[in-house]
Amino acid sequence: MKKQDVRDQIERIGIVPVIRASSSQEARFAADAVCQGGIPIVEITMTVPGALEVISELAKTMPEVLVGAGTVLNKMMARQCADAGAQFLVTPGFDKATVVEAKKLGLLVMAGALTPTEVMAAWSSGADFVKVFPCGNVGGATYLKALKGPLPQVPLVPTGGVNLETATDYIRAGAAALGVGGELILKDALKARKAEVISGLAAKFVELVKDARNEIAA
């Protein structure tokens, strides 16, 4: 998938499931569950045991799913993720070398930032999206809206504190998409292998984003 197609899919769906799991088996299970719920996008964090192998397997066996790598800390890790088949990269904070490397690799990169200075630095370095993390800890949707005021051109993706209660507010505040982790991929559901719980939540998040966008457009 071309970089622009990756961007279009993330913006269209509006949800990036952040998969943090205790095993590669759990990560694969979570990926399948969110896809069943209508989100053909997954971010496999590098904290997952065997993360590169999971990314490689998903890229080969689930071609309909956009597979990305999260918690990418440096350019060496970026190359490893690209070699494994990742189609986009996500960093927890801003590291210019990683953003530059992603551009060289032709991969979409969502660079982490929190302050206005960091958001500006990430955007000017060539990030495709800027992940505002941890957004929920510094004011949530109110903070995101404050950032969008002077930086309307920057596509922001709030992560941390995004749940069924706050998702609509984030979209109204100007979020390009939402990064959702534990509020979507519940630990208990993972352990019990309850795919229907995760897929059900995925469907609810998709509907919330759609409704909020329709409300804004009306």
Side-chain angles (χ1 to χ4, degrees):
M1 188 180 291
K2 293 181 179 179
K3 185 176 176 179
Q4 185 58 47
D5 295 329
V6 172
R7 182 189 183 108
D8 290 346
Q9 183 154 320
I10 290 173
E11 290 183 331
R12 179 174 57 83
I13 300 296
I15 301 287
V16 179
V18 183
I19 297 179
R20 297 186 184 278
S22 59
S23 70
S24 57
Q25 291 81 7
E26 279 190 358
R28 285 189 287 268
F29 177 82
D32 185 61
V34 296
C35 186
Q36 288 179 30
I39 306 178
I41 304 169
V42 292
E43 174 192 329
I44 304 298
T45 67
M46 293 302 288
T47 56
V48 173
L52 292 173
E53 289 75 16
V54 174
I55 290 169
S56 179
E57 182 180 340
L58 291 177
K60 292 173 183 175
T61 61
M62 298 180 73
E64 72 281 10
V65 176
L66 183 60
V67 182
T71 321
V72 179
L73 305 178
N74 51 56
K75 65 179 185 179
M76 181 180 73
M77 196 176 285
R79 287 194 297 270
Q80 291 174 333
C81 293
D83 289 342
Q87 294 172 289
F88 66 93
L89 306 177
V90 184
T91 71
F94 174 56
D95 179 68
K96 184 175 181 178
T98 303
V99 174
V100 171
E101 187 66 23
K103 291 181 69 178
K104 287 180 181 178
L105 294 165
L107 292 180
L108 180 143
V109 59
M110 192 180 295
L114 185 60
T115 67
T117 299
E118 291 170 349
V119 171
M120 289 168 62
W123 182 241
S124 64
S125 72
D128 299 282
F129 292 93
V130 177
K131 179 180 86 169
V132 183
F133 174 79
C135 197
N137 296 72
V138 293
T142 302
Y143 181 68
L144 192 82
K145 185 176 181 179
L147 286 176
K148 289 294 288 186
L151 301 167
Q153 76 279 20
V154 182
L156 302 177
V157 180
T159 306
V162 180
N163 53 46
L164 292 174
E165 286 70 44
T166 62
T168 297
D169 289 337
Y170 277 118
I171 296 297
R172 288 173 180 160
L178 308 174
V180 191
E183 296 288 347
L184 167 55
I185 300 136
L186 303 179
K187 286 185 178 180
D188 290 346
L190 269 184
K191 290 179 180 178
R193 294 295 193 270
K194 292 185 176 180
E196 70 280 4
V197 173
I198 297 171
S199 60
L201 286 170
K204 288 180 181 178
F205 272 106
V206 170
E207 194 64 25
L208 284 173
V209 170
K210 182 180 178 181
D211 289 347
R213 286 175 171 174
N214 286 338
E215 178 187 314
I216 293 169

